């Protein structure tokens, strides 16, 4: 029986193809913290800590200490055929630090699937797909540049776009209308305000788009994460589906969201939930609660996106929000999910299909 023998971390800095800007932050490169879990048979499993001071509250130095300290102590020596056991051990080992927990959990799931000789998505769900469709995110910018970027992505084959808004309601309205008049006239269009509006502004904007028949597919996190009353007020006032992101990190918050009727869907991210194990629990709870789901990602490398894509593969037919790998000039690793237009193609190799560091 294969067991965990070591956890190791390594930083990698990867330039982006273009600046990634939201209502919360802006950056032109990804500083990744990758985790490798080694087993007693000599295999390596991969995970990624999606560090973000503004989102998860985790930086590289602190996450490294967590992975190489309490999380290593919790999982070294554990058998890899018991996901529930290591999932519980990771959850108990450290408070908060969801992205660090997610990286270790993903790495162990990678080893678990490798031990079984199947791709991770096959270990997670029967009938899973080997391709996952994703939207493409349009970063915060002036209307003309957003429209031009949208045109490039539509020409490249993307049929679902998500535009980042939330800096100013009037500007946001101009951007959405310019997209619908231009390159996004015939594709699905999603809006992500990243908590940038109050309830009144959100209702005014969304109702205006509805009245004018703009056909917005969904609006993501229009109001501040902690204010579920505002989110519920928006949902009650508009017909467009509302997607909660920052408002839901764990099962307790999802139950409260359901109790208040605050959203139609929830964006499940491994880095928020604390890993594959916790994300699977959220997906089950959402299904029994009648809440829709999308699998999302942070600004992550191929490693983090690949883990999320394997979970998403068990939810076929949906267009998820897993475009982060499309933003990278290079990948820090060989293998993993391959980005082809608006699809992520999952390798047939066991586990995540990552076979080492890139040259």
């Amino acid at each position: 029986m294969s067991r965990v023998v070591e956890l190791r971390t390594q930083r990698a800095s990867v330039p982006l193809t273009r600046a990634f800007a939201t209502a919360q932050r802006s950056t032109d490169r990804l500083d990744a913290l990758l985790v490798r879990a080694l087993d007693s048979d000599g295999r390596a499993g991969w995970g990624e800590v999606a560090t973000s001071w503004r989102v998860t509250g985790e930086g590289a130095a602190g996450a490294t200490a967590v992975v190489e300290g309490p999380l290593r102590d919790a999982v070294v020596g554990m058998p890899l055929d018991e996901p529930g056991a290591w999932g519980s051990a990771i959850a108990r080992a450290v408070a908060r630090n969801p992205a660090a927990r997610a990286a270790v959990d993903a790495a162990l799931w990678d080893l678990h699937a490798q031990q079984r000789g199947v791709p991770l998505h096959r270990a997670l769900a029967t009938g899973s797909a080997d391709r996952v469709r994703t939207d493409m995110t349009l970063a915060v910018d002036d209307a003309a540049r957003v429209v031009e970027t949208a045109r490039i992505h539509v020409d490249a084959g993307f049929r679902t776009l998500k535009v980042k808004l939330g800096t100013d309601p009037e500007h946001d309205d101009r951007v959405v209308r310019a997209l619908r008049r231009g390159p996004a006239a015939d594709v699905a269009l999603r809006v992500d305000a990243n908590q940038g509006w109050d309830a009144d502004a959100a209702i005014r904007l969304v109702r205006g788009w509805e009245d004018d028949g703009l056909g917005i597919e969904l609006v993501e996190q229009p109001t501040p994460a902690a204010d579920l009353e505002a989110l519920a007020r928006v949902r009650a006032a508009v017909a467009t589906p509302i997607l909660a992101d920052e408002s839901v990190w764990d099962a307790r918050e999802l139950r409260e969201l359901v109790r208040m009727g605050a959203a139609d869907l929830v964006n499940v991210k491994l880095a928020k939930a604390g890993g594959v194990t916790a994300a699977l629990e959220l997906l089950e709870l959402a299904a029994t609660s009648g809440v829709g789901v999308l699998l999302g990602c942070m600004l992550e490398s191929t490693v983090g996106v690949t883990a999320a894509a394997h979970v998403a593969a068990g939810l076929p037919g949906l267009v998820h929000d897993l475009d982060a790998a499309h933003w990278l000039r290079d990948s820090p690793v060989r293998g993993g999910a391959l980005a082809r237009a608006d699809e992520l193609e999952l390798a047939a190799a066991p586990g995540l299909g990552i076979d080492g560091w890139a040259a």
Side-chain angles (χ1 to χ4, degrees):
M1 180 189 304
S2 184
R3 295 180 178 271
V4 183
V5 298
E6 179 63 294
L7 293 181
R8 296 177 182 172
T9 61
Q10 177 70 45
R11 298 189 194 188
S13 185
V14 183
L16 304 182
T17 57
R18 59 195 182 280
F20 181 81
T22 73
Q24 303 295 323
R25 60 169 177 156
S26 178
T27 184
D28 62 1
R29 68 187 308 105
L30 167 66
D31 292 315
L33 178 63
L34 303 183
V35 173
R36 285 190 304 152
L38 308 180
D39 74 6
S40 52
D41 292 328
R43 290 179 286 247
W46 294 78
E48 179 171 358
V49 184
T51 55
S52 172
W53 291 115
R54 298 294 297 275
V55 181
T56 66
E58 295 164 271
T64 298
V66 169
V67 171
E68 297 182 353
L71 291 178
R72 175 189 284 162
D73 293 343
V75 302
V76 165
M78 297 201 74
L80 286 162
D81 59 349
E82 300 179 16
W86 84 60
S88 296
I90 289 171
R92 292 193 305 266
V94 58
R96 301 182 179 89
N97 291 281
R101 289 187 279 116
V104 174
D105 187 61
L108 300 193
W109 273 104
D110 185 6
L111 286 174
H112 171 78
Q114 289 183 51
Q115 179 178 266
R116 291 179 54 182
V118 298
L120 176 56
H121 65 92
R122 298 285 187 223
L124 296 175
T126 58
S128 57
D130 60 4
R131 295 172 185 267
V132 175
R133 289 188 64 211
T134 179
D135 60 16
M136 172 51 72
T137 300
L138 307 174
V140 167
D141 210 331
D142 67 55
R145 281 193 287 264
V146 173
V147 166
E148 181 55 32
T149 303
R151 193 180 313 281
I152 292 169
H153 292 309
V154 170
D155 289 345
F158 283 90
R159 306 308 298 164
T160 303
L161 301 177
K162 183 175 84 166
V163 59
K164 292 283 190 178
L165 303 175
T167 56
D168 172 74
E170 304 314 314
H171 165 269
D172 295 342
D173 189 50
R174 288 194 298 273
V175 168
V176 169
R177 293 176 184 277
L179 285 168
R180 271 307 192 213
R181 289 194 302 269
D186 298 316
V187 301
L189 183 60
R190 299 168 172 175
V191 164
D192 183 1
N194 276 120
Q195 311 178 66
W197 303 327
D198 59 26
D200 289 336
I203 292 168
R204 183 177 73 253
L205 286 170
V206 178
R207 280 182 172 173
W209 300 333
E210 291 173 348
D211 290 345
D212 292 338
L214 298 192
I216 304 304
E217 183 183 59
L218 60 85
V219 174
E220 182 172 356
Q221 201 64 53
T223 53
D227 194 349
L228 287 186
E229 290 184 359
L231 195 62
R233 183 178 159 214
V234 174
R235 187 199 179 205
V238 303
T240 304
I242 301 299
L243 171 67
D245 180 7
E246 292 91 346
S247 288
V248 177
W249 292 62
D250 56 28
R252 180 189 62 79
E253 291 179 338
L254 179 52
R255 291 189 187 95
E256 183 64 10
L257 182 94
V258 171
R259 187 188 70 80
M260 295 188 64
D264 301 280
L265 309 96
V266 61
N267 191 340
V268 175
K269 297 177 180 176
L270 303 190
K272 286 192 307 172
V276 173
T277 304
L280 294 174
E281 294 172 356
L282 280 178
L283 293 176
E284 183 176 359
L285 177 59
T288 59
S289 303
V291 176
V293 294
L294 291 177
L295 259 293
C297 63
M298 307 277 284
L299 185 58
E300 301 172 60
S301 79
T302 306
V303 176
V305 172
T306 298
H310 276 269
V311 178
L315 303 168
L318 298 176
V319 179
H320 297 281
D321 186 22
L322 299 172
D323 62 329
H326 290 76
W327 287 75
L328 307 178
R329 289 190 183 277
D330 304 292
S331 173
V333 298
R334 298 190 307 271
L338 181 62
R340 295 186 183 278
D342 68 344
E343 289 187 330
L344 292 168
E345 181 180 321
L346 303 179
L352 296 179
I354 296 171
D355 61 7
W357 295 103

